[in-house]
Every structure is written in structure tokens, then in C-alpha cells.
Amino acid sequence: MKIRTQAKQIVLKGGTLFDPLRQTLETGDVFIQDGKIKAVGKIAGPEGAEIIDCTGLIVTHGFCDPHVHFREPGREDKETLKTGANAALAGGFTRVCVMPNTDPPLDSPESIRFVLEKSAELPVHIHPIGAITKGQLGREISEMGAMQFEGAVAFSDDGIPVANGQVMRLALEYSRMVGMPIINHAEDPMIRNEGVMNEGIVSTRLGLPGNPDVAESVMVHRDLELAQLTNAKIHVPHVSTAKAVHHIRQFKNDTSLALTAEVTPHHLYFIDEALSSFNTNLKVAPPIRSEKDRLALIEAVKDGTIDCIATDHAPHTIEEKEATFDLAPFGLIGLESCFGAVNKILGQQSGLSLKTILTLLTLRPRKIMGFETDLFAEGCEAELVVLAADEEWVFGENDIFSRSRNTPFLGETLVGKPRYTIAKGSVAEIG
Ligand code: DOR
């Protein structure tokens, strides 16, 4: 991948333009001047502009990920804001929201400012999510108003569930005052117990402690009832079970509820059988589930119960991941492989249209997080991705730009590859 400063004038020539806001798909050009959209349609000239040939390629809004873990501050050996931004560019992402489980956690206005200042010059928009509780300890609500003032876009203790229902209720009440979503990592810690993988026939066969599906669904149900009680915005992260899907679907019947949900590429792609190899890169929280759960997730995307895709990109060192399965940390990286994995499962294998898949990666997460959605408008910053949507490719080490390597997608044939990612005055040529 080559990242360079944009030429003063660029024309993305002859691509198929997909506007997720208007749901239009048509052949055309995009003229970018000084990093901003100048015109969209049939563009003649201008003299001297850089031409990027987009024949046979899709040009659309840059992907937006509402859920990644970059490890700065504290674990820069796993990922920095800069290396995380590179992984994002390689995956076609122009905007990401970073979770606050850093060291120390992002639980104060100063820490929010730190992330924004540190990422100001990076070629990807990075939005910090503030911690729900001070120190992510699950006890005292953090200074939500002050963090919002500094630029936090949501609140979450992700990685750690808010176990105490009263704390969750208060968090929802306070978040309502600032109008931002609460994103709770829904896994009841007592029910999850020491589980390291999905509880079922496979965990029994492998002799690994199981984490039952109800650990997730019980807490999702609690959270949705509390959101209804408090009238707050709730976004359910990394839904992994058919039972949680069922609850979300039911609660979405209450149209006054501001409820949204996300699914990860890995929960759509893998099932617990794959853990038979004891590949620690498949150890993730919530765990990779059964085929029944996976099919329920696909169905939930199809009927709109699930609103968007989020990678939950969670880098860990090789040393940590080379431990035995029970000792290795939870998490896998997912930015670079996201589009190819999701497009393969939802598009090629499940018949969803490319329009729908791209909407799950662009418009929907932007709406949930309150970002600009009219990215083809004249004067808007050019924040685009150019995709070879049908290209089949094998995901390899050379496709990784994260500082970490903990991905279960190595060697997998994926469908669809980002070619160029354009944002913040830069162009990343992915190759
Ligand atoms: O597997 C996970 N790893 N799930 C999370 O929610 C947190 C993440 C991490 O930070 O490593």
C-alpha cells in the first residue's frame, strides 16, 4: 500500500458510483479539488488533473467502523493510532470509532482530547468513544458531558460488560441527556463464567470451558428493557447469538426505541467447529458461535434487525496469542479483511445486493454515530473508497497493515477488494 498526499485536482474516471444516501448506482466520474468534492457526473478535463481509471470499479463512500480497538495509549506494541489508521485505509475505511479500553482507559475529557490531537494529522478520521464508568470499573459513571464536549461520540466499557443493572440504568439516563448511544458489551460475567468458547458439543469435544449463548441474550434483554425505561439510545455491539437477535427483533417493534445493532465479519464467517484446530486467533469475545447462530445473524442482517457491520478489530501480540487456548487473550484484527469477508458471506453466499452490503458499511454506521452522510455533495471532504467488488483474492500476510497479526482470515479466499481509499487529503493505493 502506498499512501500519498492528494494531487490538487483528481478525477476518478468511469467508475460505477454508488451513493448510499440516495441508493443510486450509475456510471460517472468524481472530480476532487483541494481534497473536496467539486463535481459528480460526466466530467470533461480539467487539464493537468490526476486521472484515476475506475473502469469496472465501484466508487462509494469510505467505510465507517463504529467499533475498533487501537491500543494507544498504553499498548503501542499492539497498535498505535497510526498503525491502526493504516489498517483502516487498507480495508477501505475512512472513519473509525475507537473503543476506550486502552491503558489508561479513555474515561476523562483529557483522554478524549489526547486521541483527537494525536490523530489529527492521520489520513483517517478517528473518533474516540468514552468509557461508561470511571476506570471501566463498572461503578461510577464517567464525566459524559465533558467527554462529549471534547469530541467523544458514544459511551462504552467494551471488553468489559456493565454487570450492575443500576449502573447501566444510570448510564442510559445520563447518556440520554447528552443524546449519545450507550454501547454495552453484553455478556453476563457470572453466566459466561470461565468460558473461552461457545458452549456446545464442540466445546465438550475439545474439553474447553464453554460460554453459553444465554450469557449474551440475558444481558441484551436487560439492556433493552432499561433502554425502554429510560428512553435512551442503545447500540448493541457484536451480536453473536440467535437468542439476542430474537430479543432485538422483538424490541424493534417498539418504534419509539432508539435501538441499533451491529455484527462482525468473523461472527458471520466462522463457526465453533473451526476452533477444533485450537487456533487462538479465533478466540474472541463474544465467542464464535454455532451454525444456527451464524444463519440467524445473516437473517437478521437481511430483515434489518441488524443495522451495520463493525469489525471489533482487536490487535494482540504474537507472544500473547501463541499461548495455549485457555490463556490467550480474546480478540482478532479485522479491518483489512472486512469487505472481502462480508461481501463473500452476505453477497456471494446469501444473495444480498452489493447496494445493501455497502450501505451496512457506510450510511448506517454514520447515521448511528451522527456523522455526515451526504458524501457526494459538492464541497464535502472527499471521503471515498474505490472497490474491485467481484475480485477473488487470498488474504495473506502482505495484506496486513496493523501492527499485530492475529487474524483467522489468513489463507481464506475473499470476494471484493478495496483498491483506493481517499480521505483527509490523502490517497491510499492498496494494490
Ligand atoms: O475479543 C475481544 N477483544 N472482544 C472485546 O470486546 C474486546 C477486545 C479487546 O479489546 O481485545
Side-chain angles (χ1 to χ4, degrees):
M1 181 172 67
K2 200 169 117 198
I3 305 169
R4 57 182 168 83
T5 305
Q6 278 175 30
K8 190 172 169 53
Q9 295 181 316
I10 302 179
V11 179
L12 305 178
K13 195 91 193 143
T16 303
L17 312 185
F18 173 58
D19 181 348
L21 186 60
R22 296 173 186 81
Q23 293 288 306
T24 50
L25 192 67
E26 51 204 28
T27 307
D29 315 318
V30 181
F31 177 23
I32 301 166
Q33 182 165 292
D34 297 320
K36 295 202 168 87
I37 303 289
K38 183 76 180 161
V40 177
K42 273 266 149 288
I43 317 284
E47 276 296 284
E50 178 190 342
I51 306 291
I52 297 181
D53 182 10
C54 295
T55 314
L57 303 175
I58 300 283
V59 181
T60 190
H61 296 182
F63 299 154
C64 173
D65 193 338
H67 187 155
V68 301
H69 301 266
F70 293 168
R71 304 298 192 190
E72 193 169 348
R75 287 306 303 264
E76 290 82 354
D77 55 327
K78 298 186 183 196
E79 197 82 285
T80 63
L81 292 163
K82 188 167 193 286
T83 59
N86 289 345
L89 287 176
F93 291 87
T94 55
R95 203 169 277 269
V96 299
C97 303
V98 289
M99 282 295 175
N101 61 336
T102 47
D103 186 14
L106 309 180
D107 66 352
S108 66
E110 293 78 13
S111 54
I112 298 297
R113 198 176 321 135
F114 167 83
V115 170
L116 287 171
E117 281 176 3
K118 201 81 202 276
S119 55
E121 302 302 319
L122 297 177
V124 169
H125 294 277
I126 297 182
H127 299 276
I129 292 174
I132 294 176
T133 61
K134 289 187 184 161
Q136 292 196 299
L137 296 172
R139 292 198 281 266
E140 247 182 294
I141 303 296
S142 60
E143 298 173 72
M144 289 186 179
M147 285 198 282
Q148 181 193 35
F149 183 78
E150 287 300 337
V153 291
F155 299 105
S156 179
D157 275 355
D158 190 72
I160 308 169
V162 177
N164 183 320
Q166 170 64 358
V167 172
M168 184 62 182
R169 177 190 177 162
L170 283 176
L172 287 161
E173 278 173 355
Y174 280 101
S175 73
R176 185 169 170 240
M177 289 184 221
V178 293
M180 298 204 318
I182 290 284
I183 307 173
N184 180 34
H185 183 127
E187 283 192 289
D188 184 308
M190 296 300 166
I191 304 177
R192 176 173 72 179
N193 200 15
E194 303 295 316
V196 296
M197 69 171 291
N198 182 49
E199 181 179 299
I201 190 102
V202 185
S203 65
T204 306
R205 203 177 71 224
L206 300 180
L208 291 172
N211 169 356
D213 57 358
V214 290
E216 176 175 87
S217 57
V218 161
M219 196 176 266
V220 166
H221 200 276
R222 178 203 73 173
D223 291 350
L224 298 186
E225 288 216 36
L226 289 173
Q228 214 164 31
L229 176 72
T230 54
N231 226 348
K233 280 188 192 165
I234 187 154
H235 176 68
V236 185
H238 43 49
V239 179
S240 70
T241 61
K243 288 194 169 96
V245 162
H246 172 76
H247 295 331
I248 295 165
R249 189 174 283 131
Q250 292 300 115
F251 275 81
K252 278 203 169 185
N253 287 329
D254 175 357
T255 50
S256 69
L257 194 60
L259 160 62
T260 53
E262 68 186 36
V263 66
T264 71
H266 48 275
H267 287 110
L268 291 171
Y269 198 100
F270 294 103
I271 57 170
D272 53 2
E273 276 289 342
L275 275 67
S276 303
S277 62
F278 294 99
N279 179 357
T280 58
N281 291 334
L282 283 162
K283 183 176 174 185
V284 64
I288 302 294
R289 300 286 185 183
S290 67
E291 177 66 354
K292 183 167 159 272
D293 291 302
R294 192 183 76 90
L295 294 176
L297 294 173
I298 295 172
E299 208 41 52
V301 172
K302 279 190 177 168
D303 74 6
T305 302
I306 286 175
D307 299 86
C308 72
I309 306 292
T311 65
D312 195 6
H313 179 87
H316 291 292
T317 63
I318 291 173
E319 293 76 14
E320 283 174 314
K321 277 293 196 181
E322 272 182 351
T324 53
F325 202 91
D326 50 336
L327 293 178
F330 293 95
L332 56 92
I333 59 166
L335 283 165
E336 298 95 328
S337 49
C338 175
F339 177 62
V342 162
N343 192 37
K344 174 177 175 178
I345 301 298
L346 295 179
Q348 191 183 66
Q349 295 182 6
S350 311
L352 261 80
S353 70
L354 182 64
K355 276 176 152 184
T356 304
I357 294 165
L358 294 176
T359 304
L360 293 163
L361 287 159
T362 56
L363 181 77
R364 294 275 189 74
R366 281 192 173 83
K367 271 195 166 165
I368 293 166
M369 305 309 284
F371 303 147
E372 176 61 56
T373 54
D374 195 2
L375 301 189
F376 280 122
E378 189 188 334
C380 188
E381 182 205 319
E383 207 193 303
L384 302 171
V385 64
V386 179
L387 304 160
D390 301 323
E391 185 175 321
E392 300 212 353
W393 56 297
V394 177
F395 188 71
E397 287 270 352
N398 291 342
D399 300 306
I400 299 176
F401 292 87
S402 166
R403 183 162 278 177
S404 292
R405 291 276 173 282
N406 52 310
T407 166
F409 287 102
L410 278 180
E412 292 294 318
T413 299
L414 306 181
V415 182
K417 195 173 196 300
R419 282 284 174 77
Y420 299 92
T421 310
I422 296 170
K424 291 180 82 174
S426 292
V427 181
E429 286 178 40
I430 299 148

